[in-house]
Amino acid sequence: MESFFEDQPFTLPSTPKRVDEGYELVRKSPQREDTDDNSTRVMPSRLSLINPQDQRTSINNISQDVQRLIEKVNSNRSSDLKMIDHFQEQMIALVTEMCQQMKSCMYSIYEANSAEMQPKLQEVSELLENCVKVSGELEEANQELSGLLPPPVVLERTEPK
């Protein structure tokens, strides 16, 4: 991300003090000076004069840059939301399509199972009809046999006295 500070010189004003009308004292960053023993030593801060009009212009520029950055952030957020909405729509379409394919597969399996079960259900139905028929025949035979036999004799028990 580009920074609007890259084009600006890096001097931040410390507490400004009024020197004369139209100018303020601003503390600049310390300067470094090379010494003969290859070490660096910090020089004392320098003071320079800045015109208040330049300062207001700089503040306005910074304010405009900040506003542009805020607008860019908001634009990026809006873009992100649109991208997520589009992704969501695509996912819904894919899930819907996959559900339709699954339903189609399920219906095919149901039809195959029905075709396989139909002869077995027919066989069970025929077996049940035969069971009912045989049960009826057994009932008739039982009644005929009971008519051929003499009635059962009931013996009485005597109790000891």
Side-chain angles (χ1 to χ4, degrees), residues 14 21 36 48 104-105 111 122-123 125 133 142 145 149:
S14 65
E21 185 133 333
D36 47 314
S48 70
S104 177
C105 287
E111 288 176 17
Q122 183 65 35
E123 185 180 341
S125 178
K133 182 179 174 185
N142 188 22
L145 285 175
L149 294 176

Side-chain angles (χ1 to χ4, degrees), residues 1-10:
M1 182 169 120
E2 290 183 36
S3 172
F4 63 88
F5 291 111
E6 290 175 2
D7 298 335
Q8 305 288 329
F10 185 74

Side-chain angles (χ1 to χ4, degrees), residues 117-130:
M117 288 188 322
Q118 190 62 37
K120 293 177 182 178
L121 290 173
Q122 183 65 35
E123 185 180 341
V124 167
S125 178
E126 290 170 4
L127 286 173
L128 287 175
E129 284 179 23
N130 284 340

Side-chain angles (χ1 to χ4, degrees), residues 63-142:
S63 179
Q64 289 172 357
D65 288 341
V66 167
Q67 185 61 36
R68 279 193 292 274
L69 286 174
I70 290 170
E71 289 170 1
K72 185 175 181 182
V73 165
N74 287 337
S75 172
N76 288 342
R77 287 178 180 177
S78 177
S79 244
D80 291 346
L81 289 174
K82 286 178 185 175
M83 179 185 64
I84 292 297
D85 287 343
H86 180 69
F87 177 75
Q88 183 179 14
E89 289 170 5
Q90 288 179 326
M91 292 305 294
I92 288 171
L94 285 174
V95 168
T96 301
E97 181 182 335
M98 290 185 76
C99 287
Q100 283 302 114
Q101 289 175 357
M102 288 176 66
K103 283 180 182 179
S104 177
C105 287
M106 286 172 37
Y107 293 143
S108 296
I109 291 170
Y110 292 163
E111 288 176 17
N113 287 346
S114 292
E116 189 177 316
M117 288 188 322
Q118 190 62 37
K120 293 177 182 178
L121 290 173
Q122 183 65 35
E123 185 180 341
V124 167
S125 178
E126 290 170 4
L127 286 173
L128 287 175
E129 284 179 23
N130 284 340
C131 287
V132 168
K133 182 179 174 185
V134 169
S135 177
E137 290 173 359
L138 283 174
E139 187 63 34
E140 284 177 23
N142 188 22

